[in-house]
Amino acid sequence: MDVPALPLTGALEAAFAEAFGRAPEGVWRAPGRVNLIGEHTDYNDGLVLPFAISRGISVAGARRDDGVVEVRSRQAATAVSAPVDGGTVASEGWPADRAWAAYPVGVARVLRERGTGGASLLIDSDLPQGAGLASSAALECATALALCDLHGVRIDRPELARLAQRAENEQAGSPCGPMDQAASLLCEAGHALMLDCRSGLSSRVPFDPAAAGLALIVVDTRAAHALTGGEYGRRRAECEEAAALLGVPALRDVKDLPAALGTLRDPVLRRRVQHVVTENHRVEAAVGLLRAGAVAELGAMLNASHLSLRDQFEASWPEADATVDAALRAGARGGRMVGGGFGGSVLVLAPAGRADRVRDAVAAAYDRRGWPSPRFVDAVPSGGADRLSPPARP
């Protein structure tokens, strides 16, 4: 089953007018992302290689001068109003039906320090929720652009990405690294984004699978993913513990892997270190392959990453493993789980002529196991967040 695309901008503007009784002042959109390689390296000050996809989140908005942000979503029944000068959402104990609004409200509260204020916002999404495609970051980034434009505040995009990450960390209580927000704001069409999560420096790497006769397929396994769950936080804590025992600021700084593994007594920490160190090397290797035009050779990198995430980091889940296995048997070049893990999506790289065969094989594997049918999204490297209506000034 494919995921349907969002309606046109005009439909969202009309829905805003119906919801709020006035026309919006603009519509902004931020994409989701797929991380080509470099998983669980971001909060270890490491390297990542994400790209934006065409699916994302749109926000229609209008300024308010009463210090209130009111958010509504076409995918949620509950509207939420909150003061922008409040405390942290994570400490306020919002009920489950309001949890989605922690992201835009959190952004409004962080950006208030930079001069933004209240707004009425209507949100629409064609990103499957819980699929590990950075829907929360897309929501944060679309909201951030909207608030800055509505209140005439200028913040460069790398800094805006850091502020959006801070909102997710402090306001929503999710211990994410900086990758998702940077990808949503900084990516360009036809490119992946090489991001150094310590320095914040980034470069765009040409990435055009279609030109190489390849298809990128995102498989939403339908196993829900949530960064605020305990396993993600536990993995981050394990990495921080290992870094402390090794006497380095972060696992990014481990240079001699055999020596590090010999130092650690805990087999769990050894596995975590092995994944992070080798995954950083895989990012560097993948960038080299892309710059050399050897896109098809990425398959081996994807496979190695998935095995490491499954066996060393223990972040995979049954549907992801079955997806990768079925795709490879059907002729895919490679595949791996993407996102934080413990649910979400799988990225598959396949020859374009075998893409339908791969989809059919994955769907059949789910059917044999009695699982809900997977959802498929074509992953075309796309541009970053932007104002859609009225068009941004040059």
Side-chain angles (χ1 to χ4, degrees):
M1 180 175 68
D2 292 330
V3 179
L6 271 178
L8 298 176
T9 299
L12 183 57
E13 292 173 327
F16 181 97
E18 181 177 354
F20 292 103
R22 57 173 173 155
E25 296 173 45
V27 176
W28 296 260
R29 182 169 170 83
R33 65 91 188 96
V34 172
N35 190 20
L36 182 60
I37 204 157
E39 218 64 78
H40 289 277
T41 53
D42 57 347
Y43 56 78
N44 286 292
D45 284 356
L47 307 174
V48 293
L49 190 63
F51 61 92
I53 59 176
S54 59
R55 305 290 174 150
I57 290 181
S58 296
V59 173
R63 175 172 171 156
R64 296 172 65 123
D65 294 319
D66 59 358
V68 170
V69 58
E70 181 179 1
V71 290
R72 303 186 184 195
S73 170
R74 302 186 79 183
Q75 284 73 45
T78 304
V80 176
S81 294
V84 297
D85 61 354
T88 63
V89 173
S91 68
E92 293 177 356
W94 286 14
D97 64 345
R98 290 164 55 99
W100 65 272
Y103 301 101
V105 171
V107 168
R109 289 180 173 177
V110 168
L111 290 184
R112 176 179 174 272
E113 300 171 7
R114 300 298 186 94
T116 69
S120 297
L121 304 172
L122 179 63
I123 295 156
D124 202 2
S125 173
D126 59 9
L127 275 173
Q129 294 182 0
L133 301 178
S135 58
S136 60
L139 176 52
E140 291 155 3
C141 293
T143 300
L145 286 183
L147 291 172
C148 286
D149 279 359
L150 290 172
H151 290 275
V153 173
R154 289 186 174 273
I155 303 174
D156 66 51
R157 291 206 171 197
E159 176 65 10
L160 194 60
R162 287 189 287 271
L163 291 168
Q165 179 206 357
R166 180 184 151 201
E168 184 155 350
N169 293 164
E170 297 178 0
Q171 292 284 336
S174 172
C176 69
M179 173 181 66
D180 293 352
Q181 293 82 5
S184 189
L185 284 166
L186 301 178
C187 279
E188 289 185 358
H191 292 76
L193 184 76
M194 168 66 156
L195 175 66
D196 184 323
C197 294
R198 169 170 287 165
S199 68
L201 296 176
S202 64
S203 61
R204 295 169 180 85
V205 184
F207 183 37
D208 187 356
L214 298 165
L216 279 172
I217 306 166
V218 171
V219 183
D220 175 7
T221 69
R222 309 290 292 277
H225 156 84
L227 287 187
T228 52
E231 289 298 328
Y232 182 91
R234 186 173 297 114
R235 293 302 181 279
R236 181 164 186 166
E238 289 165 347
C239 291
E240 291 170 351
E241 181 184 357
L245 290 171
L246 293 170
V248 293
L251 294 185
R252 156 77 174 275
D253 300 295
V254 174
K255 304 302 181 186
D256 187 338
L257 180 58
L261 298 180
T263 299
L264 296 170
R265 293 184 177 182
D266 187 335
V268 172
L269 298 185
R270 288 200 296 268
R271 291 196 295 271
R272 305 301 184 251
V273 172
Q274 184 168 349
H275 167 73
V276 173
V277 174
T278 58
E279 187 79 347
N280 277 315
H281 293 325
R282 283 187 284 271
V283 173
E284 293 175 321
V287 169
L289 290 173
L290 290 182
R291 294 199 185 281
V295 182
E297 303 308 315
L298 286 173
M301 293 292 107
L302 299 182
N303 293 335
S305 178
H306 183 75
L307 291 175
S308 182
L309 286 159
R310 185 192 71 186
D311 300 336
Q312 305 301 328
F313 216 72
E314 298 173 283
S316 190
W317 63 102
E319 291 88 344
D321 298 336
T323 297
V324 172
D325 180 68
L328 293 177
R329 291 178 182 274
R333 300 284 303 195
R336 74 173 193 91
M337 57 150 281
V338 295
F342 317 106
S345 295
V346 169
L347 177 66
V348 174
L349 179 69
R354 295 188 181 182
D356 288 340
R357 178 181 173 185
V358 167
R359 292 187 186 92
D360 291 344
V362 171
Y366 279 52
D367 185 62
R368 287 194 301 271
R369 292 167 172 81
W371 293 339
S373 298
R375 294 181 289 201
F376 300 99
V377 178
D378 289 330
V380 178
S382 302
D386 203 358
R387 181 171 182 156
L388 301 184
S389 174
R393 295 178 181 177

